[in-house]
Amino acid sequence: MKRFTTLLLILSMFACSPIVERPEPSVDFSHGDLRVSDDHRMIVHADGTPFFYLGDTCWELFHRTTREEAERYLENRRQKRFTVIQAVALAELDGLDTPNSYGDRPLVDNDPAKPDTTAGSTIANDDAYDYWDHVDWVINKAAEKGIYIALLPTWGDKVLKRWGVGPVVFDSTNAVAYGKWIAKRYKNKPNIIWILGGDRAPEWEEEDYKPIWRAMANAIKSVDKRHLMGYHSWGGTSSSHWFHDDAWLDFNTWQSGHSRRDDPNWQKITTDYRRSPTKPVFDGEPNYEDHPVNFKPGEAGWFGACDVRKAAYRSLFAGAFGYTYGCNDIWQLWLPGREKKAAARTPWPVAMDLPGATQMTYVRNLMESRPMLERIPDPSLIMSENPDDSTHMLATRAVDGSYAMIYLPQGGKVEIDLNKLSGSSITAWWYMPVNGVAEKIGQLKEKNYTTFITPYQGPENDWVLVLDNGDKLYTPPGKINVN
């Protein structure tokens, strides 16, 4: 048994690495459209280039922004290397009856078979620039920045109200008409991912709404065979519960939700990872930064940056193909004077730069600094006691043993079985999720059960142990080649 620690500069622990402004798009669309990887675990481009889904929930993006506001938000997300923005065409916050920022509504008489469109699209002409012209403009602007739009055709309250504003306007017939119309409008856009649902289970008590969602999904797919499709369910559930065997569902989406700290979202990911037939899975709505825990700020406090980091690394190391960050102020684009949902408290232009959002850059950097398509979950790497609580650690490795990563949410020590790694030696690193800094521990010549101890430990002191095949000469963790 050996113990390895590293001497780290105190300043590097607490100084956040700045986000370097880069001119390039967040995603290079020249690699082609997205598809499911050959092993059905990941998402790749047409030419096989890996795609890392780093999402943000800005549900009200089309409904509550001007052009200038939308561009400001999208540019911020491009600089932070987000690859996907999840946004809703028929929005949650009274999206049918409250006009958008230009005074326009999406439907005639709230009829999904009658989208409200006008001739022309010149913004200087109020009669020409309609609701859907603004949606077009935002999607096009996102494409310029190399960002995908995970486009929800409607929020779920337009199919099943139960809570929210509604009104319910969809049935199986107009779902087909609307599905074909919206698919025809956006099928040629390079940056679309379809996501149906919108925070609703497709069954409720004795009522079954699956036929409506299936009608919409199949209608879209009958027109648009280019883009991937998923389904966004409600808190604590996955699309797999209802639609796993449906041909139109390309990947599964969990909503681990906002009910508690240290929600075991890794268990949720593992459940879908093991399903047959195999489909990619990710956590598409975990706890949001600046959101009250269980919607009770006075009792349980607020989710912070460490909470969103833990949900990210745990789900990814459990086998997820990507991760969606969320912020309570961003999804609703809250500003003083607007009605607050879930006790929003930070104006969205300020909330864009909350620490957790910046730290998502370091998540993507780490994952892309090693061969992503080789990655599999492997909890057997961890030989230490590993309870399913706030200290629970997750491990992932390359299928060929060329690298491994172990996430320690509160630091401490971990015993690792190095025999699962390849190479004549192992290069060990500590990677700090809080600032994206990697510090080399050293070169290990012997393979055995080895104990590593983080330089610091305790709540909000999370670390990633990175173990590399020394023969591979990988770059330091988190260092990627960006021109």
Coordinates of all heavy atoms in Angstrom, one line a residue, residues 239-301:
S239 N -37.5 9.5 -19.7 CA -38.2 9.2 -20.9 C -38.3 7.7 -21.1 O -39.3 7.2 -21.7 CB -37.5 9.8 -22.1 OG -36.2 9.4 -22.2
S240 N -37.4 6.9 -20.6 CA -37.3 5.5 -20.8 C -38.5 4.8 -20.1 O -38.9 3.7 -20.5 CB -36.1 4.9 -20.2 OG -36.0 5.0 -18.8
H241 N -39.1 5.4 -19.1 CA -40.3 4.8 -18.4 C -41.4 4.6 -19.4 O -42.3 3.7 -19.1 CB -40.7 5.7 -17.3 CG -39.7 5.9 -16.2 ND1 -39.9 6.6 -15.1 CD2 -38.5 5.4 -16.1 CE1 -38.8 6.6 -14.3 NE2 -37.9 5.8 -14.9
W242 N -41.5 5.4 -20.4 CA -42.7 5.3 -21.3 C -42.3 5.0 -22.8 O -43.1 4.4 -23.5 CB -43.5 6.6 -21.2 CG -44.0 6.8 -19.9 CD1 -45.1 6.3 -19.3 CD2 -43.4 7.7 -18.9 NE1 -45.3 6.8 -18.0 CE2 -44.3 7.6 -17.7 CE3 -42.3 8.5 -18.9 CZ2 -44.0 8.4 -16.6 CZ3 -42.0 9.3 -17.7 CH2 -42.9 9.2 -16.6
F243 N -41.2 5.5 -23.2 CA -40.9 5.5 -24.6 C -39.6 4.8 -25.1 O -39.2 4.9 -26.2 CB -40.8 7.0 -25.1 CG -42.1 7.8 -24.9 CD1 -42.1 8.9 -24.1 CD2 -43.3 7.4 -25.5 CE1 -43.2 9.7 -24.0 CE2 -44.5 8.1 -25.3 CZ -44.4 9.3 -24.6
H244 N -39.0 4.0 -24.2 CA -37.7 3.5 -24.5 C -37.7 2.7 -25.8 O -36.7 2.7 -26.5 CB -37.2 2.6 -23.3 CG -35.8 2.1 -23.5 ND1 -34.7 2.9 -23.4 CD2 -35.3 0.9 -23.9 CE1 -33.6 2.2 -23.6 NE2 -34.0 1.0 -24.0
D245 N -38.7 1.9 -26.0 CA -38.8 1.1 -27.2 C -39.3 1.8 -28.5 O -39.3 1.1 -29.5 CB -39.6 -0.2 -26.9 CG -39.0 -1.1 -25.9 OD1 -37.7 -1.2 -25.8 OD2 -39.7 -1.7 -25.1
D246 N -39.7 3.0 -28.3 CA -40.2 3.7 -29.5 C -39.0 4.1 -30.5 O -38.0 4.6 -30.0 CB -40.9 5.0 -29.1 CG -42.3 4.8 -28.5 OD1 -42.4 3.8 -27.8 OD2 -43.2 5.6 -28.7
A247 N -39.3 3.9 -31.7 CA -38.2 4.1 -32.7 C -37.8 5.6 -32.8 O -36.6 5.9 -33.1 CB -38.6 3.6 -34.1
W248 N -38.7 6.5 -32.6 CA -38.4 7.9 -32.7 C -37.5 8.4 -31.5 O -36.9 9.5 -31.7 CB -39.7 8.7 -32.7 CG -40.6 8.6 -31.6 CD1 -41.7 7.7 -31.5 CD2 -40.6 9.2 -30.3 NE1 -42.4 7.8 -30.3 CE2 -41.7 8.8 -29.6 CE3 -39.7 10.2 -29.8 CZ2 -41.9 9.2 -28.3 CZ3 -40.0 10.6 -28.5 CH2 -41.1 10.2 -27.7
L249 N -37.4 7.7 -30.4 CA -36.7 8.1 -29.3 C -35.2 7.7 -29.5 O -34.9 6.6 -29.3 CB -37.2 7.6 -28.0 CG -36.6 8.2 -26.7 CD1 -37.2 9.5 -26.4 CD2 -36.8 7.2 -25.5
D250 N -34.3 8.7 -29.8 CA -32.9 8.4 -30.0 C -32.1 8.3 -28.8 O -31.1 7.6 -28.8 CB -32.4 9.5 -31.0 CG -33.0 9.5 -32.3 OD1 -33.0 8.4 -33.0 OD2 -33.6 10.5 -32.7
F251 N -32.5 9.0 -27.7 CA -31.7 9.0 -26.5 C -32.7 9.2 -25.3 O -33.8 9.7 -25.5 CB -30.6 10.1 -26.5 CG -31.1 11.5 -26.7 CD1 -31.6 12.3 -25.7 CD2 -31.1 12.0 -28.0 CE1 -32.1 13.5 -25.9 CE2 -31.6 13.3 -28.3 CZ -32.1 14.0 -27.2
N252 N -32.3 8.8 -24.1 CA -33.1 9.0 -22.9 C -32.6 10.2 -22.1 O -31.4 10.5 -22.0 CB -33.0 7.7 -22.1 CG -34.0 6.6 -22.5 OD1 -35.2 6.9 -22.8 ND2 -33.5 5.4 -22.7
T253 N -33.6 10.8 -21.5 CA -33.4 12.0 -20.7 C -34.0 11.8 -19.3 O -35.2 11.5 -19.2 CB -34.0 13.2 -21.4 OG1 -33.5 13.4 -22.7 CG2 -33.7 14.5 -20.6
W254 N -33.2 12.0 -18.3 CA -33.6 12.0 -16.9 C -33.8 13.5 -16.5 O -33.1 14.4 -17.0 CB -32.6 11.4 -16.0 CG -32.7 9.9 -15.8 CD1 -32.1 9.0 -16.5 CD2 -33.6 9.2 -14.9 NE1 -32.5 7.7 -16.1 CE2 -33.4 7.9 -15.1 CE3 -34.5 9.7 -13.9 CZ2 -34.1 6.9 -14.4 CZ3 -35.2 8.7 -13.2 CH2 -35.0 7.3 -13.4
Q255 N -34.8 13.7 -15.7 CA -34.9 14.9 -14.9 C -34.7 14.5 -13.4 O -35.6 14.1 -12.8 CB -36.2 15.7 -15.0 CG -36.2 17.0 -14.3 CD -37.5 17.7 -14.2 OE1 -37.7 18.5 -13.2 NE2 -38.5 17.5 -15.0
S256 N -33.5 14.7 -12.9 CA -33.2 14.3 -11.5 C -33.8 15.3 -10.6 O -34.2 15.0 -9.4 CB -31.7 14.1 -11.3 OG -31.0 15.3 -11.5
G257 N -34.0 16.6 -11.1 CA -34.8 17.5 -10.4 C -34.2 18.3 -9.2 O -33.0 18.3 -9.1
H258 N -35.0 18.9 -8.4 CA -34.6 20.0 -7.5 C -35.0 19.7 -6.1 O -35.1 20.6 -5.3 CB -35.2 21.3 -8.0 CG -35.2 21.5 -9.4 ND1 -34.0 21.9 -10.1 CD2 -36.1 21.4 -10.4 CE1 -34.3 21.9 -11.4 NE2 -35.6 21.7 -11.6
S259 N -35.2 18.4 -5.7 CA -35.9 18.2 -4.5 C -34.9 18.0 -3.3 O -35.2 18.2 -2.1 CB -36.7 16.9 -4.5 OG -35.9 15.8 -4.9
R260 N -33.6 17.7 -3.6 CA -32.7 17.5 -2.5 C -31.2 17.6 -3.0 O -30.9 17.4 -4.2 CB -32.9 16.1 -1.9 CG -32.8 14.9 -2.9 CD -32.9 13.6 -2.2 NE -33.0 12.5 -3.1 CZ -32.8 11.2 -2.8 NH1 -32.4 10.9 -1.6 NH2 -33.0 10.3 -3.7
R261 N -30.3 17.9 -2.0 CA -28.9 17.8 -2.3 C -28.5 16.4 -2.5 O -29.0 15.5 -1.9 CB -28.1 18.5 -1.2 CG -28.4 20.0 -1.0 CD -27.5 20.6 0.0 NE -27.9 21.9 0.4 CZ -27.7 23.0 -0.3 NH1 -27.1 23.0 -1.4 NH2 -28.2 24.2 0.2
D262 N -27.4 16.2 -3.3 CA -26.8 14.9 -3.5 C -27.8 13.9 -3.9 O -27.8 12.7 -3.5 CB -26.1 14.4 -2.2 CG -24.9 15.2 -1.9 OD1 -24.0 15.2 -2.7 OD2 -24.8 15.9 -0.9
D263 N -28.8 14.3 -4.8 CA -29.7 13.3 -5.4 C -28.8 12.3 -6.1 O -27.9 12.6 -6.8 CB -30.6 14.0 -6.4 CG -31.6 13.0 -7.0 OD1 -31.3 12.3 -7.9 OD2 -32.7 13.0 -6.5
P264 N -29.1 11.0 -5.9 CA -28.3 9.9 -6.5 C -28.5 9.8 -8.0 O -29.0 8.8 -8.5 CB -28.7 8.7 -5.7 CG -30.1 8.9 -5.3 CD -30.2 10.4 -5.0
N265 N -28.2 10.9 -8.7 CA -28.5 10.8 -10.2 C -27.7 9.8 -10.9 O -28.0 9.3 -12.0 CB -28.4 12.2 -10.8 CG -26.9 12.7 -10.9 OD1 -26.1 12.2 -10.2 ND2 -26.7 13.6 -11.8
W266 N -26.6 9.4 -10.3 CA -25.8 8.3 -10.9 C -26.5 7.0 -10.9 O -26.4 6.2 -11.9 CB -24.4 8.1 -10.1 CG -24.6 7.7 -8.7 CD1 -24.6 6.4 -8.3 CD2 -24.7 8.5 -7.5 NE1 -24.7 6.3 -6.9 CE2 -24.8 7.6 -6.4 CE3 -24.8 9.9 -7.3 CZ2 -25.0 8.1 -5.1 CZ3 -25.0 10.3 -6.0 CH2 -25.1 9.4 -4.9
Q267 N -27.4 6.8 -9.9 CA -28.2 5.5 -10.0 C -29.2 5.6 -11.1 O -29.5 4.6 -11.8 CB -28.9 5.4 -8.6 CG -28.0 5.1 -7.4 CD -28.7 5.1 -6.1 OE1 -29.9 5.3 -6.1 NE2 -28.0 4.8 -5.0
K268 N -29.8 6.8 -11.3 CA -30.7 7.0 -12.4 C -30.1 6.7 -13.8 O -30.6 6.0 -14.6 CB -31.3 8.4 -12.3 CG -32.1 8.7 -11.1 CD -32.6 10.1 -11.0 CE -33.6 10.4 -9.9 NZ -33.0 10.1 -8.5
I269 N -28.9 7.3 -14.0 CA -28.2 7.1 -15.2 C -27.9 5.6 -15.4 O -28.0 5.0 -16.5 CB -26.9 7.9 -15.2 CG1 -27.2 9.4 -15.2 CG2 -26.1 7.6 -16.5 CD1 -28.0 9.9 -16.4
T270 N -27.4 4.9 -14.3 CA -27.1 3.5 -14.4 C -28.3 2.7 -14.8 O -28.1 1.7 -15.6 CB -26.5 3.0 -13.1 OG1 -25.3 3.8 -12.7 CG2 -26.2 1.6 -13.1
T271 N -29.5 3.0 -14.3 CA -30.7 2.3 -14.7 C -30.9 2.3 -16.2 O -31.1 1.2 -16.8 CB -31.9 2.9 -13.9 OG1 -31.7 2.8 -12.5 CG2 -33.2 2.1 -14.3
D272 N -30.8 3.4 -16.8 CA -31.0 3.5 -18.2 C -29.8 3.0 -19.0 O -30.0 2.5 -20.1 CB -31.3 4.9 -18.7 CG -32.8 5.3 -18.4 OD1 -33.5 4.4 -18.0 OD2 -33.2 6.4 -18.7
Y273 N -28.6 3.1 -18.5 CA -27.4 2.6 -19.1 C -27.5 1.1 -19.3 O -27.0 0.6 -20.3 CB -26.2 3.0 -18.3 CG -24.9 2.8 -19.0 CD1 -24.3 3.7 -19.7 CD2 -24.2 1.5 -18.8 CE1 -23.0 3.5 -20.4 CE2 -23.0 1.3 -19.4 CZ -22.4 2.3 -20.2 OH -21.2 2.1 -20.8
R274 N -28.2 0.4 -18.4 CA -28.3 -1.0 -18.5 C -29.5 -1.5 -19.3 O -29.7 -2.7 -19.5 CB -28.3 -1.6 -17.1 CG -27.0 -1.4 -16.3 CD -27.2 -1.8 -14.8 NE -26.0 -1.7 -14.1 CZ -25.9 -1.9 -12.8 NH1 -26.9 -2.1 -12.0 NH2 -24.7 -1.8 -12.2
R275 N -30.3 -0.6 -19.7 CA -31.5 -1.0 -20.5 C -31.2 -1.6 -21.8 O -30.2 -1.3 -22.4 CB -32.5 0.1 -20.6 CG -33.2 0.5 -19.4 CD -34.3 1.6 -19.7 NE -34.9 2.1 -18.5 CZ -35.9 1.6 -17.9 NH1 -36.5 0.5 -18.5 NH2 -36.4 2.1 -16.8
S276 N -32.1 -2.5 -22.3 CA -32.0 -3.0 -23.6 C -33.3 -2.7 -24.4 O -34.4 -2.9 -23.8 CB -31.8 -4.5 -23.6 OG -31.6 -5.1 -24.8
P277 N -33.2 -2.3 -25.6 CA -32.0 -2.0 -26.4 C -31.2 -0.8 -25.8 O -31.8 0.0 -25.2 CB -32.5 -1.7 -27.8 CG -33.9 -1.2 -27.6 CD -34.4 -2.0 -26.4
T278 N -29.9 -0.8 -26.1 CA -29.0 0.3 -25.6 C -29.3 1.6 -26.3 O -29.5 1.7 -27.5 CB -27.6 -0.1 -25.9 OG1 -27.3 -1.3 -25.3 CG2 -26.6 1.0 -25.3
K279 N -29.5 2.6 -25.5 CA -29.7 4.0 -26.0 C -28.8 4.9 -25.1 O -28.7 4.7 -23.9 CB -31.1 4.4 -26.0 CG -32.0 3.7 -27.0 CD -33.4 4.3 -27.1 CE -34.2 3.6 -28.2 NZ -35.5 4.2 -28.4
P280 N -28.3 6.0 -25.7 CA -27.6 7.0 -24.9 C -28.5 7.6 -23.8 O -29.7 7.7 -24.0 CB -27.2 8.1 -25.9 CG -27.3 7.4 -27.2 CD -28.4 6.4 -27.1
V281 N -27.9 8.1 -22.7 CA -28.7 8.6 -21.6 C -28.0 9.8 -21.0 O -26.7 9.8 -21.0 CB -29.1 7.6 -20.6 CG1 -27.8 7.0 -20.0 CG2 -29.9 8.2 -19.4
F282 N -28.7 10.8 -20.5 CA -28.1 11.9 -19.8 C -29.1 12.5 -18.9 O -30.3 12.2 -18.9 CB -27.5 12.9 -20.7 CG -28.4 13.9 -21.3 CD1 -28.2 15.3 -21.2 CD2 -29.6 13.5 -22.1 CE1 -29.1 16.2 -21.7 CE2 -30.4 14.4 -22.6 CZ -30.2 15.8 -22.4
D283 N -28.6 13.3 -17.9 CA -29.4 14.1 -17.0 C -29.7 15.4 -17.6 O -28.8 16.3 -17.7 CB -28.7 14.2 -15.7 CG -29.7 14.7 -14.5 OD1 -30.7 15.2 -14.9 OD2 -29.3 14.6 -13.4
G284 N -30.9 15.6 -18.1 CA -31.3 16.8 -18.9 C -31.9 17.9 -18.0 O -32.1 19.0 -18.5
E285 N -32.2 17.6 -16.7 CA -32.6 18.7 -15.8 C -32.2 18.3 -14.4 O -33.1 17.7 -13.7 CB -34.1 19.1 -15.9 CG -34.4 20.3 -15.0 CD -35.8 20.7 -15.1 OE1 -36.5 20.5 -16.2 OE2 -36.3 21.3 -14.2
P286 N -31.0 18.6 -13.9 CA -30.6 18.3 -12.5 C -30.9 19.5 -11.7 O -31.7 20.4 -12.1 CB -29.1 18.1 -12.7 CG -28.7 19.0 -13.8 CD -29.9 19.0 -14.7
N287 N -30.4 19.5 -10.5 CA -30.6 20.7 -9.6 C -30.0 21.9 -10.3 O -29.0 21.9 -10.9 CB -30.0 20.5 -8.2 CG -28.5 20.2 -8.2 OD1 -27.7 21.0 -8.6 ND2 -28.2 19.0 -7.9
Y288 N -30.7 23.0 -10.2 CA -30.3 24.3 -10.8 C -29.5 25.2 -9.8 O -29.9 25.2 -8.6 CB -31.6 25.1 -11.2 CG -32.3 24.7 -12.4 CD1 -33.5 25.3 -12.8 CD2 -31.8 23.7 -13.3 CE1 -34.2 24.9 -13.9 CE2 -32.5 23.3 -14.4 CZ -33.7 23.9 -14.7 OH -34.4 23.5 -15.9
E289 N -28.5 25.8 -10.3 CA -27.8 26.8 -9.5 C -28.8 27.9 -9.1 O -29.6 28.4 -9.9 CB -26.6 27.3 -10.2 CG -25.7 28.2 -9.4 CD -24.3 28.5 -10.1 OE1 -24.2 28.3 -11.3 OE2 -23.4 28.8 -9.4
D290 N -28.6 28.4 -7.9 CA -29.4 29.5 -7.4 C -30.9 29.2 -7.3 O -31.8 30.0 -7.4 CB -29.2 30.8 -8.2 CG -29.4 32.1 -7.4 OD1 -29.1 32.1 -6.2 OD2 -29.8 33.1 -8.0
H291 N -31.2 27.9 -7.1 CA -32.6 27.4 -7.0 C -32.8 27.0 -5.5 O -31.9 26.3 -5.0 CB -32.8 26.2 -7.9 CG -34.2 25.8 -8.0 ND1 -34.9 25.1 -7.0 CD2 -35.1 25.8 -9.1 CE1 -36.1 24.8 -7.4 NE2 -36.3 25.3 -8.6
P292 N -33.9 27.2 -4.9 CA -34.1 26.8 -3.5 C -34.3 25.3 -3.5 O -35.0 24.7 -4.3 CB -35.4 27.5 -3.1 CG -36.1 27.8 -4.4 CD -35.0 28.1 -5.4
V293 N -33.6 24.6 -2.6 CA -33.6 23.2 -2.4 C -35.1 22.8 -2.0 O -35.6 23.3 -1.1 CB -32.6 22.7 -1.3 CG1 -32.8 21.2 -1.1 CG2 -31.2 23.1 -1.7
N294 N -35.6 21.9 -2.8 CA -37.0 21.4 -2.6 C -38.0 22.6 -2.6 O -39.0 22.5 -2.0 CB -37.1 20.6 -1.4 CG -38.4 19.7 -1.4 OD1 -38.9 19.4 -2.4 ND2 -38.9 19.4 -0.2
F295 N -37.6 23.7 -3.3 CA -38.5 24.9 -3.5 C -38.8 25.6 -2.1 O -39.7 26.3 -2.0 CB -39.8 24.5 -4.2 CG -39.6 24.0 -5.5 CD1 -39.4 22.6 -5.7 CD2 -39.7 24.8 -6.6 CE1 -39.2 22.1 -7.0 CE2 -39.5 24.3 -7.9 CZ -39.3 23.0 -8.1
K296 N -37.9 25.3 -1.1 CA -38.1 25.9 0.2 C -36.9 26.6 0.7 O -36.1 26.0 1.5 CB -38.5 24.8 1.2 CG -39.8 24.0 0.8 CD -40.1 22.9 1.7 CE -41.3 22.1 1.4 NZ -41.6 21.0 2.2
P297 N -36.6 27.8 0.2 CA -35.4 28.5 0.5 C -35.2 28.7 2.0 O -34.1 28.7 2.5 CB -35.4 29.8 -0.2 CG -36.9 30.0 -0.5 CD -37.5 28.6 -0.7
G298 N -36.3 29.0 2.7 CA -36.1 29.3 4.2 C -35.8 28.0 5.0 O -35.3 28.2 6.1
E299 N -36.1 26.8 4.5 CA -35.8 25.6 5.2 C -34.6 24.9 4.8 O -33.8 24.4 5.6 CB -37.0 24.7 5.0 CG -38.3 25.2 5.6 CD -39.5 24.2 5.4 OE1 -39.2 23.0 5.1 OE2 -40.6 24.6 5.4
A300 N -34.3 24.9 3.5 CA -33.2 24.0 3.0 C -32.1 24.8 2.3 O -31.1 24.1 1.9 CB -33.8 22.9 2.1
G301 N -32.3 26.0 2.1 CA -31.2 26.8 1.5 C -31.3 26.7 -0.1 O -32.3 26.4 -0.6

